[in-house]
Amino acid sequence: QNSLARAERDVYNSETGLFMGCSSFMESNSGYPSQYAMNGTLVGQTKALSTNMLYYRGYKIAADMGAVLGASEAEIRKMIEKSENIRKAVEARLWMPNEGHFSYFEDKDGALVEQNEALGESLLLLAPKFESENSRADIIFHNTHRSGVGIPCLWPKFDLHETSDIASYYHNGRIWPFVQGFWAIAAARHKRVDIFGEEFANLVKLSQIDKSHETFAEFYELDGEYQKIRSRQLWSDSGFLGMVFHGLFGINLGVDGIWISPSKPEWLPFSNTVSLLRIIYRDMELDIHVNGHGSEIDSFRLDGKLQGLNFVSNTLKGSHQVEIELFSNAVQG
């Protein structure tokens, strides 16, 4: 709550209802038009989609924390109202109906850049109670550019003077595995098994380009090449693990427990049953077994007992078995 209050004081723009500042991870000299290079003051006057989605999520988490910690109803309601104000401002100011996606950022004069930002779109699609309109989500999935080796961090590329200095180009339309992870999880959350499977397969393929070095680089070119000096990156590894835990097995951590909604493409080389074993969560250890393919759950069993919901309460202790049967799920267009 104090951190959000400080941000409101320092970077909130009351005229637009959006927070100002750089995008969540892309820098001025490679992820912005040339006039922004090394110009923090100018970048600081923009309002980025991804950054505002993080503030939206921050208010939501603050409200949930307040409920758990016994905050007053007025404090909780204030956090919820502020998150809603951001949602309304993002939808009103950053949505580009003709392009069918949200803008990467609004500049200091209120103009929108045509580029879309993959992380921002992913965070928006993952945000609880933000993009609940299936029609708009489908439009975003359809119009967000994806290359043959994965989703670029922004697209189209900016016309920049790229040199041998990695920092001059590495955010300009390159493939970042952790961004692929967020995009894939968003697709799985919206039951887009086809898009989830595509991004999962692309990231696996990228990791195997160099057979002597099967790991995840920091970023990749659109042809799959990468800089040897940036050949190992922990958050790239985390992007892949996120695809497994939160996409393939569909683990979604909530205040009261875990919702489990798998997304298992039939065309990927998985066996009929995939298992994730010995997951430590609070005072329990879970084994999750998923049978079949698709994203529609036929049955959900906890310790052999059929459940009405695909949910495991956080009050359980000890070892438990989750077994999920999936319906066959046709690829969506």
Side-chain angles (χ1 to χ4, degrees):
Q1 189 174 10
N2 290 338
S3 297
L4 289 168
R6 180 182 176 183
E8 290 168 10
R9 182 195 70 197
D10 293 344
V11 292
Y12 180 69
N13 183 276
S14 58
E15 182 180 339
T16 63
L18 296 171
F19 283 87
M20 299 182 295
C22 186
S23 71
S24 63
F25 86 102
M26 293 191 286
E27 299 163 356
S28 62
N29 55 330
S30 66
Y32 282 79
S34 57
Q35 67 266 30
Y36 291 90
M38 309 304 291
N39 190 337
T41 300
L42 189 59
V43 174
Q45 296 177 70
T46 65
K47 303 99 182 175
L49 175 63
S50 59
T51 299
N52 277 276
M53 289 313 306
L54 291 174
Y55 282 114
Y56 171 85
R57 191 73 178 100
Y59 284 120
K60 285 289 190 183
I61 291 172
D64 288 341
M65 290 175 65
V68 172
L69 297 174
S72 69
E73 285 295 324
E75 288 179 294
I76 296 170
R77 186 166 55 252
K78 182 186 296 185
M79 294 295 105
I80 294 173
E81 288 174 354
K82 288 181 176 181
S83 72
E84 280 300 294
N85 289 339
I86 294 178
R87 182 182 66 79
K88 292 174 183 176
V90 167
E91 290 184 336
R93 300 189 68 87
L94 299 183
W95 175 247
M96 300 189 294
N98 292 334
E99 286 77 10
H101 61 75
F102 285 87
S103 171
Y104 168 19
F105 68 84
E106 179 184 277
D107 71 14
K108 67 181 181 65
D109 298 317
L112 299 179
V113 296
E114 66 172 326
Q115 279 73 10
N116 71 269
E117 179 194 12
L119 182 58
E121 300 271 27
S122 301
L123 293 173
L124 186 145
L125 290 164
L126 284 167
K129 298 182 180 178
F130 192 100
E131 195 50 73
S132 56
E133 296 181 24
N134 288 333
S135 58
R136 176 141 67 183
D138 287 341
I139 291 171
I140 293 171
F141 281 121
H142 179 75
N143 289 295
T144 299
H145 177 78
R146 310 193 300 276
S147 80
V149 294
I151 187 168
C153 59
L154 66 83
W155 197 264
K157 288 183 177 183
F158 291 114
D159 184 15
L160 302 179
H161 176 60
E162 297 184 354
T163 69
S164 59
D165 180 9
I166 291 174
S168 74
Y169 64 81
Y170 68 158
H171 289 141
N172 193 21
R174 269 55 177 195
I175 312 296
W176 286 70
F178 91 93
V179 176
Q180 290 180 275
F182 276 105
W183 175 252
I185 296 166
R189 196 72 56 82
H190 285 266
K191 299 185 180 297
R192 291 301 304 263
V193 183
D194 54 332
I195 295 176
F196 167 73
E198 172 189 275
E199 209 64 33
F200 187 97
N202 280 333
L203 186 50
V204 170
K205 182 169 60 178
L206 285 172
S207 75
Q208 297 173 338
I209 285 176
D210 184 349
K211 294 299 183 182
S212 67
H213 186 75
E214 292 190 9
T215 185
F216 301 101
E218 181 182 26
F219 70 96
Y220 295 87
E221 300 291 340
L222 296 182
D223 61 2
E225 292 298 311
Y226 63 92
Q227 294 291 334
K228 302 302 181 185
I229 198 172
R230 302 292 182 95
S231 63
R232 296 177 183 271
Q233 177 56 260
L234 184 59
W235 69 354
S236 297
D237 301 341
S238 298
F240 178 72
L241 290 175
M243 288 185 180
V244 174
F245 279 79
H246 304 295
L248 179 61
F249 286 90
I251 294 173
N252 187 5
L253 302 176
V255 174
D256 300 317
I258 306 176
W259 293 90
I260 306 176
S261 306
S263 185
K264 188 162 171 266
E266 188 170 7
W267 51 271
L268 287 181
F270 296 121
S271 61
N272 187 61
T273 300
V274 293
S275 300
L276 193 58
L277 306 179
R278 295 183 291 279
I279 306 164
I280 305 300
Y281 173 68
R282 296 201 176 189
D283 295 325
M284 72 181 84
E285 183 179 287
L286 287 178
D287 289 347
I288 302 176
H289 309 279
V290 179
N291 306 312
H293 303 89
S295 63
E296 299 299 328
I297 295 175
D298 184 22
S299 64
F300 186 97
R301 286 181 167 79
L302 177 62
D303 297 327
K305 297 180 180 178
L306 190 64
Q307 305 293 304
L309 296 172
N310 51 319
F311 178 77
V312 178
S313 171
N314 61 20
T315 59
L316 296 181
K317 300 179 184 297
S319 298
H320 298 275
Q321 299 288 318
V322 173
E323 187 169 356
I324 301 170
E325 293 285 345
L326 296 175
F327 283 116
S328 176
N329 189 33
V331 174
Q332 300 178 43

